[in-house]
Amino acid sequence: MGIVFRNQQEIPIPDFAYVNASDGRVFTIHRDERNKRQHITIGWATSKVTMHPNENFKFLYPKLWAQYYGESRLQPRELHVGLYGLTLSAGWKTGLYPMLQKDFGPLNANAVLDYAMFSIRHRADSTDLMRDEMAQQLLFSDSLRSDSWYSDFFENQLSADIIHQFRMDWLKRFAAQGGTKVWLCIDGSNNDCTISESHIAEPGNSKSHKAVNIYSYMWAVSSKDGRPVTWFLNNGGKVDAKAFEKMIRFLAAAGIEIEGVILDRGFADEGVMRLIRELGYRYVVMLKSSALAYKTMLEKYAETIRWKVAHVINDKGIFGVEERTRVFASGTEEACVGLFFDGIRGCRKSVDDIARVLKSRQEIRAQILGGKKLSKLKIASDMKSYLKLTGTEDAPDIELCTERLQQAIDGHGFNAIASSEDLPAERISEIYDYRDISEKQFSALKSQLGADVTRVHDDQRIEAKLAVCFIAAVIRTEIELACRKLELDTNKSFREVDRTVLTLMPNDEYCAVHDYSKRMALLYAEFGLSDEHLDFFAQEVNSRRNPVHSQTRTMPLFLTPAPKRKPGRPAKKKDPEEAEMPKRKPGRPKGSKNKKTLERKALQATLPAPVKRKPGRPKGSKNKKTLEREALLAAPPKRGRGRPKGSKNKSTLEREKREARENKSGKPQ
């Protein structure tokens, strides 16, 4: 029923509506394309003549809504612009945005990208959460659509033919840009589905292990960088091996130059391998443990390669050997099969299994000590191969089947990979490791984009939502590759871009705020986004209030970022005439003068030139020896040590003064 606007004033119940007396719902009745009666709830009655409307009423009867409530002028105080900028830039960078406009139309292309941003940001595809999640996001559409609008959009606007045309256009673009051959990774999965009268949902092997119908889908991505290539929706009962034929023939018809196909165990089927060879592709396929080639290689080479340095193929503790052999017991297909032993994984799995078995045995022993009878004891189903109850009813015991446990442990860490061409074990392992990138992409499809759950009830809506999920995967992959290049966490970056905002100013217009972090500046630079872009987005949002505006969202050419320069002081621009001059060696050229010498020379040039004297000593001047002799004569001679000869000391001088006074007075003193 959507959101009920209970905070709005009550309005009269329309004459064409009905009221459910049991629960108070207000609804209308119409007939669908099959002439079946359908009830649409448009509100909740508050009396016999008034009601509170819901989102369906607002969407289906906009004129009545405007009549009672008018046009809302309340705007968000902030619009988060970061994810919009990255999505728009990635859309133009990959050619996705103009392709969507051509195939879906400008208005529908914007709605699809809004939903793709919702899937990326919220990691879900539950449409009823979109209004709350995207209320403050800058959108491609002029306004935020309701869940009922999207429900109708997926069913009636994105037809299977339109989606298939987009699929072909995208694949042609991938083929046109595939200058070098790449390996493709193909994988599939399925979702529970409760649709009645569906042509897609069928009984099958559901991931939830419930007895429900399922539908399946298949994706192809480039092993080089994880970029999505194409996808297909399949009937739930169809196994991966059968659904694969449609995918591989579609890729072959597109003229894509690919090195080969990498597949997991689900595609280990002789028919699949033969089909790939007939189409001229190579394959590298992980084999199931039940395959003849796996059993043959394990029996023949297990002890040969287990922790044997002579067969080590990399520094990750992987040992391997290869041999050409028959792959399946029921067929004639031969391939180069590599048997590999993963020492780390094998040890970890062995330790875990031993711990589980011993723990289970200890629990049963505790029950025996507690007095339980033999008939009351139970062994877990996954432990029955390794544990056995013995003894009598009153004296039970538990026994460890060491031979079976040893046999299971001996098989841990081994796997077999088949290659259509004869390759060394090291190369086979290296090619299959490319799948690591695609596995992350498939994981992101389910856990990050919400494709693990389907909440629609129509085959066409399933097709449409899966197509939008593919589009979201294209955008998210471009952002993820940029984050990986900058060593940034992708999910944290999605949260941090929300801090880049357009703020509503007192003049009722939005203005960009350039206060994002250095990390986001680096991420934006990877997509050519700058402060000028944010200012342009603000102007574009303000212009949407004008009835005359475009539905195409552009990236202005004059905002193309300048090429990145190297660290350090920028080099001086060279004269074109000097461009061909040879580059000189480091250091000052021979014969050149430094800055201080040049300054001294310039100062000397401003002073009068000194008069040059004639050769010889100037007239009247004395040489060095004469000057030294005269200086020696002019100085007084230095007296020797002691009192000078003939001088009197102080006592003698005082005595003579006294005697002179006595002689003068005639009296002794």
Side-chain angles (χ1 to χ4, degrees), residues 171 232 243-255 275 278-279 281:
L171 200 57
F232 273 102
F244 176 79
E245 181 176 358
K246 181 179 180 181
M247 170 78 77
I248 199 69
R249 291 193 181 279
F250 193 77
L251 292 172
L275 174 64
E278 290 175 355
L279 294 173
Y281 290 160

Side-chain angles (χ1 to χ4, degrees), residues 277 281-284 324 333-336 418-422:
R277 280 194 295 101
Y281 290 160
R282 294 189 292 170
Y283 63 74
V284 171
R324 191 160 193 86
E333 179 74 15
E334 285 193 357
C336 179
S419 169
S420 58
E421 292 191 348
D422 292 339

Side-chain angles (χ1 to χ4, degrees), residues 343-597:
I344 297 176
R345 188 170 64 88
C347 288
R348 185 182 297 116
K349 187 72 169 61
S350 298
V351 171
D352 290 345
D353 279 4
I354 291 173
R356 288 191 306 108
V357 171
L358 295 182
K359 181 181 178 181
S360 180
R361 184 179 68 172
Q362 187 65 28
E363 291 175 351
I364 294 177
R365 281 181 174 175
Q367 295 176 20
I368 294 173
L369 293 175
K372 270 198 172 184
K373 303 292 185 179
L374 180 63
S375 59
K376 299 295 184 179
L377 296 175
K378 290 185 179 181
I379 300 175
S381 58
D382 59 337
M383 293 288 109
K384 288 183 178 180
S385 298
Y386 315 121
L387 297 174
K388 183 172 68 172
L389 290 171
T390 60
T392 63
E393 178 70 14
D394 296 327
D397 196 7
I398 184 74
E399 180 181 328
L400 177 63
C401 303
T402 56
E403 292 184 3
R404 291 183 180 178
L405 181 58
Q406 185 65 52
Q407 184 179 4
I409 290 174
D410 288 344
H412 289 336
F414 287 95
N415 60 72
I417 303 175
S419 169
S420 58
E421 292 191 348
D422 292 339
L423 298 173
E426 182 177 0
R427 180 57 180 159
I428 296 175
S429 177
E430 180 183 335
I431 293 174
Y432 195 80
D433 283 347
Y434 294 161
R435 187 174 173 79
D436 181 59
I437 295 176
S438 65
E439 287 290 353
K440 293 178 180 177
Q441 182 65 29
F442 296 133
S443 175
L445 166 67
K446 299 176 183 179
S447 63
Q448 306 296 337
L449 299 178
D452 57 334
V453 179
T454 301
R455 299 180 176 88
V456 295
H457 303 284
D458 182 89
D459 285 351
Q460 178 53 41
R461 295 179 194 175
I462 293 177
E463 182 80 52
K465 292 192 78 171
L466 193 59
V468 176
C469 189
F470 178 86
I471 293 167
V474 171
I475 296 168
R476 190 186 189 281
T477 301
E478 293 300 320
I479 300 174
E480 182 179 6
L481 291 174
C483 290
R484 192 183 306 164
K485 177 181 177 181
L486 299 172
E487 298 182 352
L488 299 176
D489 182 273
T490 305
N491 289 330
K492 288 183 180 179
S493 297
F494 282 130
R495 291 192 293 269
E496 191 167 352
V497 295
D498 267 358
R499 301 175 190 172
T500 307
V501 298
L502 306 179
T503 302
L504 186 63
M505 296 299 174
N507 62 355
D508 203 31
E509 290 191 349
Y510 286 100
C511 178
V513 180
H514 309 146
D515 60 349
Y516 45 83
S517 65
K518 290 183 179 179
R519 293 185 300 276
M520 291 302 99
L522 292 173
L523 180 58
Y524 293 155
E526 288 295 318
F527 289 89
L529 294 171
S530 62
D531 291 348
E532 290 78 10
H533 278 93
L534 301 182
D535 295 335
F536 175 80
F537 294 153
Q539 295 173 7
E540 196 266 339
V541 170
N542 294 329
S543 68
R544 292 185 191 180
R545 301 173 188 172
N546 189 333
V548 181
H549 67 274
S550 174
Q551 289 296 323
T552 300
R553 312 308 176 202
T554 59
M555 295 285 290
L557 296 177
F558 65 89
L559 296 178
T560 302
K564 294 182 179 179
R565 67 176 182 85
K566 295 180 179 180
R569 190 170 61 230
K572 293 183 178 179
K573 293 184 178 180
K574 294 183 178 180
D575 190 336
E577 297 181 358
E578 300 177 356
E580 301 300 326
M581 292 181 63
K583 188 176 181 181
R584 69 176 181 84
K585 296 179 179 180
R588 194 167 66 246
K590 187 177 182 180
S592 65
K593 299 173 182 179
N594 61 21
K595 186 176 179 181
K596 290 186 177 180
T597 301

